[in-house]
Amino acid sequence: MSRHPLIVLVAVVLLAGCASEPRTPAPVIDGMSRAPAPSQPTPAPAATAAPEVPAPTEVPPGSYMVKRGDTLYRIALDNGLDYKDLAAWNGLANVNDIKVGQTLRLSAGGETGGVEVRPLQTDGPIASVPAKPATPTPAPAAPDTPPVYGYPKAVKLPYASGAEAKVAAAAEGPKVASVPQKPAVPTPAPTPVPPPAATPQPQAKPEVTDTQGDNMVDEWLMPTAGQVTKGFSSDSKGIDILGKMGQPIVASGSGKVVYAGAGLRGYGKMIIIKHNKEYLTAYAHNSKLIVKEGDVVKRGEKIAEMGDSDTDQVKLHFEIRRFGKPVDPAKYIQTEKP
């Protein structure tokens, strides 16, 4: 058999196999294309800082923080004080020189309710250790010194009759007669002296107490004649007594005038009397003031004349304040009902 037909047959089979396989085009790579850059994380929006709220200022006990609209006269009235004392305690040369947020002390130094002074705090409580009492040092004891005796003595004598008697006498020494002790004489007891007779003291006259029984005050008086047209409430802080222009106003109780003027808005010409550490009385809307600050007035003494200053009608606005807080005057005085 010839080799040429065999070679031709093998070539035909190979070509047929290649023609049956599908052709895949070669990939085309663009030199300008780039792989997409990795995405960057989007930053979170910054948190909005909350506005800082100032911490409330703590007012020490026995003090007052000035608020908008306050005056020294008003602060003194609301705390049952003399405004001059309040100014002196806080070093205020000008009674109008107070500022919002200023802390005022409401008592003199050393009195109850004043500014509280506290010791510096440490990291922890320190317990006070009581001091031990000093132990007295005992005096050193004297050393024991053996007593020195002069007798008996060692005596040597030659032997002879009667020598023992001489030896004994020489050894024992001379005999000393004992002196009797005198008996102790008792000391006579001192004669008691009777105490001097007590001098009788005059008894103090009892004072009249107020209706509360908490302090010594005079009996309250109606400050003027007339009917009460407005009673006590938390808004009125007192009572309104209707009257006539120039009608006399008297002190409801004895005391000292701590204010006389027109510096409190809404009260007109006003008088404040301090009766003791507990009570004040206030008389407002007067047409004329008879007394001045610092005067000492008696119960029933004329202090002003009725008017209509800073109000719409002739009347007296009367207040009783206990420790600066308004109380109902009807509980202290007999008022005329409308």
Side-chain angles (χ1 to χ4, degrees):
M1 183 176 180
S2 174
R3 292 183 176 180
H4 293 286
L6 182 59
I7 293 173
V8 173
L9 178 61
V10 171
V12 171
V13 171
L14 291 175
L15 289 175
C18 292
S20 62
E21 293 181 2
R23 294 183 178 182
T24 303
V28 178
I29 299 176
D30 186 359
M32 298 299 295
S33 63
R34 296 289 186 271
S39 59
Q40 297 294 331
T42 304
T48 304
E52 295 184 358
V53 179
T57 304
E58 181 180 357
V59 181
S63 302
Y64 176 84
M65 180 174 290
V66 179
K67 302 179 180 61
R68 187 178 301 278
D70 278 343
T71 64
L72 200 68
Y73 306 118
R74 170 68 69 176
I75 297 171
L77 176 63
D78 290 343
N79 290 276
L81 302 172
D82 182 345
Y83 78 93
K84 291 183 179 178
D85 291 340
L86 189 59
W89 297 335
N90 293 277
L92 300 176
N94 183 359
V95 296
N96 297 317
D97 188 19
I98 59 174
K99 300 175 179 61
V100 176
Q102 181 179 357
T103 301
L104 301 177
R105 63 190 309 169
L106 300 179
S107 64
E111 293 185 6
T112 304
V115 176
E116 183 179 3
V117 180
R118 298 180 180 178
L120 180 65
Q121 296 293 329
T122 59
D123 294 338
I126 300 178
S128 60
V129 180
K132 295 183 178 179
T135 303
T137 304
D144 294 336
T145 303
V148 179
Y149 300 99
Y151 293 92
K153 293 182 178 181
V155 180
K156 291 183 179 181
L157 291 175
Y159 176 79
S161 63
E164 67 275 10
K166 294 180 181 180
V167 171
E172 295 296 334
K175 295 188 178 292
V176 180
S178 60
V179 180
Q181 298 291 330
K182 294 182 178 181
V185 179
T187 304
T191 304
V193 179
T199 304
Q201 299 293 332
Q203 295 184 353
K205 182 180 178 181
E207 299 186 34
V208 180
T209 58
D210 64 351
T211 55
Q212 297 288 333
D214 294 332
N215 210 343
M216 299 296 181
V217 295
D218 292 333
E219 183 181 356
W220 301 101
L221 277 180
M222 185 75 169
T224 192
Q227 292 185 344
V228 176
T229 58
K230 188 174 184 179
F232 174 82
S233 67
S234 58
D235 295 330
S236 67
K237 298 181 176 61
I239 60 175
D240 290 348
I241 304 173
L242 193 62
K244 298 178 180 180
M245 181 67 70
Q247 184 173 314
I249 308 297
V250 301
S252 186
S254 300
K256 179 182 177 181
V257 178
V258 296
Y259 179 78
L264 277 79
R265 182 179 301 176
Y267 284 91
K269 294 181 180 180
M270 181 182 185
I271 288 176
I272 299 176
I273 299 176
K274 186 174 180 63
H275 302 281
N276 45 45
K277 291 184 178 181
E278 187 172 357
Y279 286 101
L280 293 175
T281 51
Y283 312 77
H285 305 310
N286 302 288
S287 61
K288 182 180 180 180
L289 304 181
I290 307 297
V291 295
K292 62 183 181 301
E293 292 178 7
D295 288 350
V296 176
V297 296
K298 299 294 184 181
R299 171 176 171 266
E301 181 180 344
K302 182 178 178 180
I303 58 174
E305 294 180 358
M306 188 180 290
D308 59 355
S309 57
D310 208 3
T311 187
D312 56 353
Q313 64 179 155
V314 178
K315 64 181 180 181
L316 170 68
H317 177 74
F318 176 66
E319 295 182 5
I320 297 180
R321 296 204 175 208
R322 184 169 183 258
F323 297 116
K325 306 303 180 183
V327 294
D328 188 359
K331 295 181 180 179
Y332 297 82
I333 59 176
Q334 186 65 37
T335 60
E336 298 181 22
K337 303 298 182 182

